[in-house]
Coordinates of all heavy atoms in Angstrom, one line a residue:
M14 N 39.8 23.6 9.2 CA 39.8 22.6 10.2 C 39.2 21.3 9.5 O 38.1 21.4 9.0 CB 38.9 22.9 11.4 CG 39.0 21.9 12.5 SD 38.1 22.8 13.9 CE 38.2 21.4 15.0
T15 N 40.0 20.2 9.6 CA 39.5 19.0 9.1 C 39.2 17.9 10.1 O 39.8 18.0 11.2 CB 40.6 18.4 8.1 OG1 41.8 18.1 8.9 CG2 40.9 19.3 7.0
D16 N 38.3 17.1 9.7 CA 37.9 15.9 10.6 C 38.3 14.6 9.9 O 39.0 14.7 8.8 CB 36.4 16.0 10.9 CG 35.5 16.1 9.7 OD1 36.0 16.0 8.6 OD2 34.3 16.1 9.9
A17 N 37.9 13.5 10.4 CA 38.3 12.3 9.8 C 37.7 12.0 8.4 O 38.3 11.3 7.6 CB 37.8 11.1 10.8
V18 N 36.6 12.8 8.2 CA 35.9 12.4 6.8 C 36.5 13.4 5.7 O 36.6 13.2 4.6 CB 34.4 12.6 6.9 CG1 33.7 12.3 5.6 CG2 33.9 11.6 8.0
G19 N 36.8 14.6 6.2 CA 37.3 15.6 5.4 C 36.7 17.0 5.8 O 36.3 17.2 6.8
S20 N 36.9 18.0 5.0 CA 36.4 19.3 5.3 C 35.4 19.7 4.4 O 35.1 19.1 3.4 CB 37.6 20.3 5.3 OG 38.0 20.5 4.0
I21 N 34.8 21.0 4.6 CA 33.7 21.4 3.8 C 34.4 22.0 2.5 O 33.8 21.8 1.5 CB 33.1 22.6 4.7 CG1 32.3 22.1 5.8 CG2 32.1 23.3 3.7 CD1 31.7 23.1 6.6
D22 N 35.5 22.5 2.6 CA 36.2 23.0 1.4 C 36.8 21.9 0.5 O 36.7 22.1 -0.7 CB 37.4 23.9 1.8 CG 36.9 25.2 2.6 OD1 35.8 25.5 2.4 OD2 37.7 25.7 3.4
M23 N 37.2 20.8 1.1 CA 37.8 19.8 0.3 C 36.9 18.5 0.4 O 37.0 17.8 1.4 CB 39.2 19.4 0.8 CG 40.2 20.6 0.6 SD 40.7 20.9 -1.0 CE 41.5 19.3 -1.3
P24 N 36.1 18.1 -0.6 CA 35.3 16.9 -0.4 C 36.2 15.7 -0.5 O 37.2 15.7 -1.1 CB 34.3 17.0 -1.6 CG 35.0 17.9 -2.6 CD 35.9 18.8 -1.8
D25 N 35.6 14.6 0.0 CA 36.2 13.3 0.0 C 36.4 12.8 -1.5 O 35.6 13.2 -2.4 CB 35.5 12.2 0.7 CG 35.6 12.6 2.3 OD1 36.4 13.3 2.7 OD2 34.7 12.1 2.9
A26 N 37.3 12.0 -1.8 CA 37.5 11.4 -3.0 C 36.4 10.6 -3.5 O 36.1 10.5 -4.7 CB 38.8 10.6 -3.1
Q27 N 35.7 9.9 -2.6 CA 34.6 9.0 -3.0 C 33.3 9.9 -3.3 O 32.5 9.4 -4.1 CB 34.2 8.1 -1.9 CG 33.9 8.8 -0.6 CD 33.8 7.8 0.6 OE1 34.1 6.6 0.4 NE2 33.4 8.3 1.8
D28 N 33.3 11.1 -2.9 CA 32.2 11.9 -3.3 C 32.3 12.4 -4.7 O 31.2 12.8 -5.3 CB 32.1 13.1 -2.4 CG 31.7 12.8 -1.0 OD1 31.2 11.5 -0.8 OD2 31.8 13.6 0.0
E29 N 33.5 12.5 -5.3 CA 33.6 13.0 -6.6 C 33.5 11.8 -7.6 O 34.2 10.8 -7.5 CB 35.0 13.5 -6.8 CG 35.3 14.8 -5.9 CD 36.7 15.3 -6.1 OE1 37.4 14.8 -6.9 OE2 37.0 16.2 -5.3
A30 N 32.4 11.9 -8.5 CA 32.4 10.8 -9.5 C 32.6 11.4 -10.8 O 32.1 12.5 -11.2 CB 30.8 10.4 -9.5
P31 N 33.5 10.8 -11.6 CA 33.8 11.3 -12.9 C 32.5 11.2 -13.9 O 31.6 10.3 -13.7 CB 34.8 10.3 -13.5 CG 34.7 9.1 -12.6 CD 34.1 9.5 -11.4
E32 N 32.5 12.1 -14.8 CA 31.2 12.3 -15.6 C 31.1 11.1 -16.5 O 30.0 10.8 -16.9 CB 31.4 13.6 -16.4 CG 31.3 14.8 -15.7 CD 30.0 15.0 -15.0 OE1 29.0 14.7 -15.5 OE2 29.9 15.5 -13.8
S33 N 32.1 10.4 -16.8 CA 32.0 9.2 -17.8 C 31.3 8.1 -17.1 O 30.8 7.2 -17.7 CB 33.4 8.8 -18.2 OG 34.2 8.4 -17.1
R34 N 31.3 8.0 -15.8 CA 30.6 6.8 -15.0 C 29.2 7.0 -14.9 O 28.4 6.1 -14.6 CB 31.3 6.7 -13.7 CG 32.6 6.2 -13.7 CD 33.3 6.0 -12.4 NE 32.5 5.2 -11.6 CZ 32.8 4.8 -10.4 NH1 33.9 5.1 -9.8 NH2 32.0 4.0 -9.7
K35 N 28.6 8.2 -15.1 CA 27.2 8.5 -15.0 C 26.5 7.8 -16.1 O 26.8 8.0 -17.3 CB 26.9 10.0 -14.8 CG 27.4 10.5 -13.5 CD 27.0 12.0 -13.5 CE 27.5 12.6 -12.2 NZ 27.1 14.1 -12.1
K36 N 25.4 7.2 -15.9 CA 24.6 6.6 -16.9 C 23.3 7.4 -17.0 O 22.6 7.7 -16.1 CB 24.3 5.1 -16.6 CG 25.5 4.2 -16.4 CD 25.1 2.8 -16.2 CE 26.3 1.9 -16.1 NZ 25.9 0.5 -15.7
T37 N 23.0 7.6 -18.3 CA 21.7 8.3 -18.5 C 20.8 7.3 -19.2 O 21.2 6.4 -20.0 CB 21.9 9.5 -19.5 OG1 22.5 9.1 -20.7 CG2 22.8 10.5 -18.8
R38 N 19.6 7.2 -18.7 CA 18.6 6.2 -19.2 C 17.5 6.9 -20.1 O 17.0 8.0 -19.8 CB 17.9 5.6 -18.0 CG 17.7 4.2 -18.0 CD 17.2 3.7 -16.8 NE 16.1 2.8 -17.2 CZ 15.5 2.0 -16.3 NH1 15.8 2.1 -15.0 NH2 14.6 1.2 -16.7
K39 N 17.5 6.4 -21.4 CA 16.5 6.9 -22.3 C 15.5 5.9 -22.5 O 15.8 5.0 -23.4 CB 17.2 7.4 -23.5 CG 18.1 8.6 -23.3 CD 18.7 9.0 -24.6 CE 19.6 10.2 -24.3 NZ 20.4 10.6 -25.5
G40 N 14.3 5.8 -21.9 CA 13.3 5.0 -22.1 C 13.4 3.6 -21.5 O 12.4 3.2 -21.0
G41 N 14.5 3.0 -21.6 CA 14.6 1.7 -21.1 C 13.8 0.7 -21.9 O 13.5 0.8 -23.1
K42 N 13.4 -0.5 -21.2 CA 12.7 -1.5 -21.9 C 11.3 -1.1 -22.3 O 10.7 -1.4 -23.2 CB 12.6 -2.7 -21.0 CG 13.9 -3.5 -20.9 CD 13.7 -4.7 -20.1 CE 15.0 -5.5 -20.0 NZ 15.0 -6.7 -19.2
R43 N 10.7 -0.1 -21.4 CA 9.4 0.3 -21.6 C 9.3 1.2 -22.8 O 8.3 1.4 -23.5 CB 8.8 0.9 -20.5 CG 8.4 -0.2 -19.4 CD 7.7 0.5 -18.3 NE 8.6 1.1 -17.4 CZ 8.3 1.8 -16.3 NH1 6.9 2.2 -16.1 NH2 9.1 2.2 -15.5
G44 N 10.3 1.9 -23.2 CA 10.4 2.9 -24.2 C 10.2 2.2 -25.6 O 9.9 2.9 -26.6
K45 N 10.7 0.9 -25.6 CA 10.8 0.3 -26.9 C 9.5 -0.3 -27.4 O 9.3 -0.8 -28.4 CB 11.8 -0.8 -26.9 CG 13.2 -0.2 -26.7 CD 14.3 -1.2 -26.6 CE 15.6 -0.6 -26.3 NZ 16.6 -1.7 -26.1
K46 N 8.5 -0.6 -26.4 CA 7.3 -1.3 -26.7 C 6.2 -0.2 -26.9 O 6.2 0.8 -26.2 CB 6.9 -2.2 -25.6 CG 7.9 -3.3 -25.4 CD 7.5 -4.3 -24.4 CE 8.5 -5.3 -24.1 NZ 8.2 -6.1 -23.0
G47 N 5.2 -0.7 -27.7 CA 4.1 0.2 -27.9 C 3.1 0.1 -26.8 O 3.2 -0.8 -25.9
P48 N 2.1 1.0 -26.7 CA 1.1 1.0 -25.6 C 0.3 -0.3 -25.5 O 0.0 -0.8 -24.5 CB 0.2 2.2 -25.8 CG 0.5 2.6 -27.3 CD 1.8 2.1 -27.7
L49 N 0.0 -0.9 -26.6 CA -0.8 -2.2 -26.7 C 0.0 -3.3 -26.0 O -0.5 -4.1 -25.3 CB -1.3 -2.5 -28.1 CG -2.5 -1.4 -28.5 CD1 -2.9 -1.9 -29.9 CD2 -3.6 -1.5 -27.6
K50 N 1.3 -3.3 -26.5 CA 2.2 -4.4 -25.9 C 2.4 -4.3 -24.4 O 2.4 -5.3 -23.7 CB 3.6 -4.4 -26.7 CG 3.5 -4.9 -28.1 CD 4.7 -5.1 -28.7 CE 4.7 -5.6 -30.1 NZ 6.0 -5.8 -30.8
R51 N 2.5 -3.0 -24.0 CA 2.6 -2.8 -22.6 C 1.3 -3.2 -21.8 O 1.4 -3.8 -20.8 CB 3.0 -1.3 -22.3 CG 4.3 -1.0 -22.6 CD 4.8 0.3 -22.2 NE 4.0 1.3 -23.0 CZ 4.0 2.6 -22.8 NH1 4.6 3.1 -21.7 NH2 3.3 3.4 -23.5
L52 N 0.2 -2.9 -22.4 CA -1.1 -3.2 -21.8 C -1.3 -4.9 -21.8 O -1.7 -5.3 -20.7 CB -2.2 -2.6 -22.5 CG -3.7 -2.8 -22.0 CD1 -3.7 -2.0 -20.7 CD2 -4.7 -2.3 -22.9
A53 N -0.9 -5.5 -22.9 CA -0.9 -6.9 -22.9 C 0.1 -7.5 -21.8 O -0.3 -8.5 -21.1 CB -0.6 -7.4 -24.3
L54 N 1.2 -7.0 -21.6 CA 2.2 -7.4 -20.6 C 1.6 -7.3 -19.3 O 1.8 -8.1 -18.4 CB 3.5 -6.6 -20.8 CG 4.6 -6.9 -19.7 CD1 5.0 -8.4 -19.8 CD2 5.7 -5.9 -19.9
F55 N 1.0 -6.1 -19.1 CA 0.3 -5.9 -17.7 C -0.8 -6.9 -17.4 O -0.8 -7.5 -16.4 CB -0.3 -4.4 -17.7 CG -1.2 -4.2 -16.5 CD1 -0.5 -3.9 -15.3 CD2 -2.5 -4.1 -16.5 CE1 -1.2 -3.6 -14.2 CE2 -3.2 -3.9 -15.4 CZ -2.6 -3.7 -14.2
Y56 N -1.6 -7.3 -18.4 CA -2.6 -8.2 -18.1 C -2.1 -9.6 -17.9 O -2.5 -10.4 -17.1 CB -3.6 -8.2 -19.3 CG -4.6 -7.1 -19.0 CD1 -4.7 -6.1 -20.1 CD2 -5.4 -6.9 -17.9 CE1 -5.6 -5.1 -20.0 CE2 -6.3 -5.9 -17.9 CZ -6.4 -4.9 -18.9 OH -7.2 -3.9 -18.7
R57 N -1.0 -9.9 -18.6 CA -0.3 -11.2 -18.4 C 0.3 -11.3 -17.1 O 0.2 -12.4 -16.4 CB 0.8 -11.5 -19.5 CG 0.3 -11.9 -20.8 CD 1.4 -12.5 -21.7 NE 2.5 -11.6 -21.9 CZ 2.6 -10.7 -22.9 NH1 1.7 -10.6 -23.8 NH2 3.7 -9.9 -23.0
Q58 N 0.9 -10.2 -16.6 CA 1.4 -10.2 -15.2 C 0.3 -10.3 -14.1 O 0.5 -10.9 -13.2 CB 2.2 -9.0 -15.1 CG 3.6 -9.0 -15.8 CD 4.4 -7.7 -15.7 OE1 3.9 -6.6 -15.3 NE2 5.6 -7.7 -16.2
V59 N -0.8 -9.7 -14.4 CA -1.9 -9.8 -13.4 C -2.4 -11.2 -13.4 O -2.6 -11.6 -12.3 CB -3.0 -8.9 -13.9 CG1 -4.3 -9.1 -13.1 CG2 -2.6 -7.4 -13.7
I60 N -2.5 -11.8 -14.5 CA -3.0 -13.2 -14.5 C -2.0 -14.2 -13.8 O -2.4 -15.0 -13.0 CB -3.3 -13.7 -15.9 CG1 -4.6 -12.9 -16.4 CG2 -3.6 -15.2 -16.0 CD1 -4.9 -13.1 -17.8
A61 N -0.7 -13.9 -14.1 CA 0.3 -14.7 -13.4 C 0.3 -14.5 -11.9 O 0.5 -15.5 -11.2 CB 1.6 -14.3 -14.0
E62 N 0.0 -13.3 -11.4 CA 0.0 -13.1 -9.9 C -1.3 -13.8 -9.4 O -1.2 -14.2 -8.3 CB 0.0 -11.5 -9.6 CG 1.3 -10.9 -9.9 CD 2.5 -11.4 -9.0 OE1 2.2 -11.7 -7.8 OE2 3.5 -11.6 -9.4
L63 N -2.4 -13.7 -10.1 CA -3.6 -14.3 -9.6 C -3.5 -15.8 -9.4 O -4.2 -16.4 -8.6 CB -4.8 -13.9 -10.5 CG -5.4 -12.5 -10.3 CD1 -6.5 -12.3 -11.3 CD2 -5.9 -12.3 -8.9
R64 N -2.7 -16.4 -10.3 CA -2.4 -17.8 -10.2 C -1.6 -18.2 -8.9 O -1.7 -19.3 -8.5 CB -1.7 -18.3 -11.4 CG -2.6 -18.4 -12.7 CD -1.9 -19.0 -13.9 NE -2.9 -19.0 -15.0 CZ -2.5 -18.8 -16.2 NH1 -1.2 -18.5 -16.6 NH2 -3.5 -18.8 -17.2
K65 N -0.9 -17.3 -8.4 CA 0.0 -17.5 -7.3 C -0.9 -17.4 -5.9 O -0.5 -17.9 -4.9 CB 1.0 -16.5 -7.1 CG 2.1 -16.6 -8.3 CD 3.1 -15.5 -8.1 CE 4.1 -15.5 -9.2 NZ 5.1 -14.4 -9.1
V66 N -2.1 -16.8 -6.1 CA -3.0 -16.6 -4.8 C -3.5 -17.9 -4.3 O -3.9 -18.9 -5.1 CB -4.1 -15.7 -5.3 CG1 -5.1 -15.6 -4.0 CG2 -3.6 -14.3 -5.6
V67 N -3.4 -18.1 -3.0 CA -4.0 -19.3 -2.4 C -5.4 -18.9 -2.0 O -5.6 -18.1 -1.1 CB -3.2 -19.7 -1.1 CG1 -3.8 -20.9 -0.4 CG2 -1.8 -19.9 -1.5
W68 N -6.4 -19.4 -2.7 CA -7.8 -19.1 -2.5 C -8.4 -19.9 -1.4 O -8.0 -21.1 -1.2 CB -8.6 -19.4 -3.9 CG -8.1 -18.5 -5.0 CD1 -7.3 -18.9 -6.0 CD2 -8.5 -17.1 -5.2 NE1 -7.1 -17.9 -6.8 CE2 -7.8 -16.8 -6.4 CE3 -9.2 -16.2 -4.5 CZ2 -7.9 -15.5 -6.9 CZ3 -9.3 -14.9 -5.0 CH2 -8.6 -14.6 -6.1
P69 N -9.1 -19.4 -0.5 CA -9.8 -20.1 0.6 C -10.7 -21.1 0.1 O -11.4 -21.0 -0.9 CB -10.4 -19.0 1.4 CG -10.7 -17.9 0.5 CD -9.7 -18.0 -0.6
T70 N -10.9 -22.2 0.9 CA -12.0 -23.1 0.7 C -13.3 -22.5 1.0 O -13.4 -21.4 1.6 CB -11.7 -24.4 1.4 OG1 -11.8 -24.2 2.8 CG2 -10.3 -25.0 1.2
R71 N -14.4 -23.3 0.6 CA -15.7 -22.7 0.9 C -16.0 -22.6 2.5 O -16.6 -21.7 3.0 CB -16.8 -23.6 0.4 CG -18.2 -23.1 0.5 CD -19.2 -23.9 -0.3 NE -19.1 -23.7 -1.7 CZ -19.8 -22.7 -2.3 NH1 -20.4 -21.8 -1.7 NH2 -19.6 -22.6 -3.7
S72 N -15.5 -23.6 3.2 CA -15.6 -23.6 4.7 C -14.9 -22.4 5.3 O -15.3 -21.7 6.2 CB -15.3 -24.9 5.3 OG -13.9 -25.1 5.1
Q73 N -13.6 -22.1 4.8 CA -12.9 -21.1 5.3 C -13.6 -19.7 4.9 O -13.6 -18.8 5.8 CB -11.5 -21.1 4.7 CG -10.6 -22.2 5.2 CD -9.3 -22.2 4.5 OE1 -9.2 -21.7 3.3 NE2 -8.2 -22.6 5.2
L74 N -14.1 -19.6 3.8 CA -14.8 -18.5 3.3 C -16.0 -18.1 4.2 O -16.2 -17.0 4.6 CB -15.0 -18.5 1.9 CG -15.7 -17.2 1.2 CD1 -14.6 -16.1 1.2 CD2 -16.1 -17.5 -0.2
T75 N -16.7 -19.2 4.4 CA -17.9 -19.1 5.3 C -17.6 -18.6 6.7 O -18.2 -17.7 7.3 CB -18.7 -20.4 5.4 OG1 -18.9 -20.8 4.1 CG2 -20.0 -20.2 6.2
T76 N -16.5 -19.2 7.2 CA -16.0 -18.8 8.6 C -15.5 -17.3 8.6 O -15.9 -16.6 9.5 CB -14.8 -19.7 9.1 OG1 -15.3 -21.0 8.9 CG2 -14.4 -19.4 10.4
Y77 N -14.8 -17.0 7.7 CA -14.2 -15.6 7.6 C -15.4 -14.5 7.4 O -15.4 -13.5 8.1 CB -13.3 -15.3 6.5 CG -12.0 -16.1 6.5 CD1 -11.3 -16.5 5.3 CD2 -11.5 -16.6 7.7 CE1 -10.2 -17.2 5.4 CE2 -10.4 -17.4 7.8 CZ -9.7 -17.7 6.6 OH -8.5 -18.5 6.7
T78 N -16.4 -14.9 6.5 CA -17.5 -14.0 6.4 C -18.3 -13.8 7.7 O -18.8 -12.8 7.9 CB -18.5 -14.6 5.3 OG1 -17.6 -14.7 4.1 CG2 -19.6 -13.7 5.0
T79 N -18.5 -15.0 8.3 CA -19.3 -15.0 9.6 C -18.6 -14.1 10.7 O -19.2 -13.3 11.3 CB -19.5 -16.4 10.2 OG1 -20.1 -17.2 9.1 CG2 -20.3 -16.4 11.4
V80 N -17.3 -14.2 10.8 CA -16.5 -13.4 11.7 C -16.6 -12.0 11.4 O -16.9 -11.2 12.3 CB -15.0 -13.9 11.7 CG1 -14.2 -13.0 12.4 CG2 -14.9 -15.3 12.3
V81 N -16.5 -11.7 10.1 CA -16.6 -10.2 9.8 C -18.0 -9.7 10.1 O -18.1 -8.6 10.6 CB -16.3 -10.0 8.3 CG1 -16.6 -8.6 7.7 CG2 -14.8 -10.3 8.1
I82 N -19.0 -10.5 9.7 CA -20.5 -10.0 10.0 C -20.6 -9.7 11.5 O -21.3 -8.8 12.0 CB -21.5 -10.8 9.3 CG1 -21.4 -10.7 7.8 CG2 -22.8 -10.6 9.7 CD1 -22.2 -11.7 7.0
V83 N -20.2 -10.7 12.3 CA -20.3 -10.6 13.7 C -19.6 -9.5 14.3 O -20.2 -8.6 15.1 CB -19.9 -12.0 14.4 CG1 -19.8 -11.8 15.9 CG2 -20.9 -13.1 14.1
F84 N -18.4 -9.2 13.8 CA -17.6 -8.1 14.3 C -18.2 -6.8 13.9 O -18.4 -5.9 14.7 CB -16.2 -8.2 13.6 CG -15.4 -6.9 14.0 CD1 -14.8 -6.8 15.2 CD2 -15.2 -5.9 13.1 CE1 -14.0 -5.7 15.5 CE2 -14.4 -4.8 13.4 CZ -13.7 -4.8 14.6
V85 N -18.8 -6.6 12.6 CA -19.5 -5.4 12.3 C -20.7 -5.2 13.2 O -21.0 -4.1 13.5 CB -19.8 -5.5 10.8 CG1 -20.7 -4.4 10.4 CG2 -18.5 -5.4 9.9
V86 N -21.5 -6.2 13.4 CA -22.7 -6.1 14.3 C -22.3 -5.6 15.6 O -23.0 -4.8 16.3 CB -23.5 -7.4 14.3 CG1 -24.6 -7.4 15.4 CG2 -24.1 -7.7 12.9
I87 N -21.3 -6.2 16.2 CA -20.8 -5.8 17.5 C -20.3 -4.3 17.5 O -20.7 -3.6 18.5 CB -19.7 -6.7 18.1 CG1 -20.3 -8.1 18.4 CG2 -19.0 -6.2 19.2 CD1 -19.2 -9.1 18.7
M88 N -19.7 -3.9 16.5 CA -19.2 -2.5 16.4 C -20.3 -1.6 16.3 O -20.4 -0.5 16.8 CB -18.2 -2.3 15.3 CG -16.9 -3.0 15.5 SD -16.1 -2.6 17.0 CE -15.7 -0.8 16.9
I89 N -21.3 -2.0 15.4 CA -22.6 -1.1 15.4 C -23.3 -1.0 16.6 O -23.7 0.2 17.0 CB -23.5 -1.7 14.2 CG1 -23.0 -1.5 12.9 CG2 -25.0 -1.1 14.3 CD1 -23.7 -2.3 11.7
A90 N -23.4 -2.0 17.3 CA -24.1 -2.0 18.7 C -23.3 -1.1 19.7 O -23.8 -0.3 20.4 CB -24.2 -3.4 19.3
L91 N -21.9 -1.2 19.7 CA -21.1 -0.4 20.5 C -21.2 1.1 20.2 O -21.4 1.9 21.1 CB -19.7 -0.8 20.3 CG -18.6 -0.1 21.2 CD1 -18.9 -0.4 22.7 CD2 -17.3 -0.4 20.9
V92 N -21.2 1.4 18.9 CA -21.3 2.8 18.5 C -22.8 3.3 18.9 O -23.0 4.5 19.3 CB -21.1 3.0 17.1 CG1 -21.4 4.4 16.5 CG2 -19.6 2.8 16.7
T93 N -23.8 2.5 18.7 CA -25.2 2.9 19.0 C -25.3 3.2 20.6 O -25.9 4.2 20.8 CB -26.2 1.8 18.6 OG1 -26.0 1.5 17.2 CG2 -27.6 2.2 18.9
V94 N -24.7 2.3 21.3 CA -24.8 2.6 22.8 C -24.1 3.8 23.2 O -24.5 4.7 24.0 CB -24.3 1.4 23.6 CG1 -24.0 1.6 25.0 CG2 -25.1 0.1 23.4
I95 N -22.9 4.1 22.6 CA -22.1 5.2 22.8 C -22.8 6.5 22.5 O -22.9 7.5 23.1 CB -20.7 5.2 22.3 CG1 -19.9 4.1 23.1 CG2 -20.0 6.5 22.4 CD1 -18.6 3.8 22.4
D96 N -23.4 6.5 21.3 CA -24.2 7.5 20.7 C -25.4 7.9 21.6 O -25.7 9.0 21.9 CB -24.6 7.2 19.3 CG -25.3 8.4 18.6 OD1 -24.7 9.5 18.7 OD2 -26.4 8.2 18.1
Y97 N -26.1 6.8 22.0 CA -27.2 7.0 22.9 C -26.8 7.7 24.3 O -27.4 8.5 24.7 CB -27.9 5.7 23.1 CG -29.1 5.8 24.0 CD1 -30.4 6.3 23.6 CD2 -29.1 5.4 25.3 CE1 -31.5 6.5 24.4 CE2 -30.2 5.5 26.1 CZ -31.3 6.1 25.7 OH -32.5 6.2 26.5
G98 N -25.6 7.2 24.8 CA -25.1 7.8 26.0 C -24.8 9.2 25.9 O -25.1 10.0 26.8
F99 N -24.2 9.7 24.8 CA -23.8 10.9 24.6 C -25.1 11.8 24.4 O -25.1 13.0 24.9 CB -22.9 11.1 23.4 CG -21.4 10.8 23.7 CD1 -20.7 10.1 22.7 CD2 -20.8 11.2 24.8 CE1 -19.3 9.8 23.0 CE2 -19.5 10.9 25.1 CZ -18.7 10.2 24.1
N100 N -26.0 11.3 23.7 CA -27.3 12.0 23.5 C -28.0 12.3 24.8 O -28.5 13.4 25.0 CB -28.2 11.1 22.6 CG -29.4 11.9 22.1 OD1 -29.5 13.1 22.3 ND2 -30.3 11.2 21.6
Q101 N -28.0 11.3 25.6 CA -28.7 11.5 26.9 C -27.9 12.5 27.8 O -28.4 13.3 28.6 CB -28.7 10.1 27.7 CG -29.8 9.3 27.0 CD -31.1 9.8 26.9 OE1 -31.7 10.4 27.8 NE2 -31.8 9.6 25.8
A102 N -26.5 12.5 27.7 CA -25.6 13.4 28.5 C -25.9 14.8 28.0 O -26.0 15.8 28.8 CB -24.1 12.9 28.4
V103 N -26.0 15.0 26.7 CA -26.2 16.3 26.2 C -27.6 16.8 26.6 O -27.7 18.0 27.0 CB -26.0 16.3 24.7 CG1 -26.5 17.6 23.9 CG2 -24.6 16.1 24.3
K104 N -28.6 16.0 26.5 CA -29.9 16.4 26.9 C -29.9 16.8 28.5 O -30.6 17.7 28.9 CB -31.0 15.3 26.7 CG -31.2 15.2 25.3 CD -32.4 14.1 25.1 CE -32.9 13.9 23.7 NZ -33.8 12.8 23.6
Y105 N -29.1 16.1 29.3 CA -29.1 16.3 30.7 C -28.4 17.7 30.9 O -28.8 18.5 31.7 CB -28.4 15.2 31.4 CG -28.2 15.4 32.9 CD1 -29.3 15.3 33.8 CD2 -27.0 15.8 33.5 CE1 -29.2 15.5 35.1 CE2 -26.9 16.1 34.7 CZ -27.9 15.9 35.5 OH -27.8 16.1 36.9
V106 N -27.3 17.9 30.2 CA -26.5 19.2 30.5 C -27.2 20.3 29.9 O -27.3 21.4 30.7 CB -25.1 19.0 29.9 CG1 -24.4 20.3 29.9 CG2 -24.2 17.9 30.5
F107 N -27.7 20.3 28.8 CA -28.2 21.5 28.1 C -29.8 21.5 28.2 O -30.4 22.5 27.6 CB -27.8 21.6 26.6 CG -26.4 21.7 26.5 CD1 -25.6 20.6 26.0 CD2 -25.7 22.9 26.8 CE1 -24.2 20.9 25.8 CE2 -24.4 23.2 26.6 CZ -23.6 22.1 26.2
G108 N -30.4 20.6 28.9 CA -31.8 20.6 29.2 C -32.7 20.0 28.1 O -33.6 20.1 27.6

C-alpha cells in the first residue's frame, strides 16, 4: 500500500543520496593549527568580544548594585519569616 510520500518498501528518491555526494571532514581548519595557535586565537576572540560589551556607567552600576542588595535583603527577610512560621507550627503540632 502506498501513500503520497511512498511506501515502506520503496523509499522516496530524495531519501537516496549517492555516495559521491557525501563529504567527509578530516580536521577542518582546527586540525591544521597547533595547540598554541588555537589558544592564541581563542584569547584574541575573547578580547574582541569584550570590546563589544557595553559597560555600565558608575551611576548605573551603583543603581544595579543597590537594587540587587535590597532584593537579597528582602528575600532573606521573607525566608526568615517563613522559617520562623514553620518552626512555630511544628512546635505547636508536635509539642
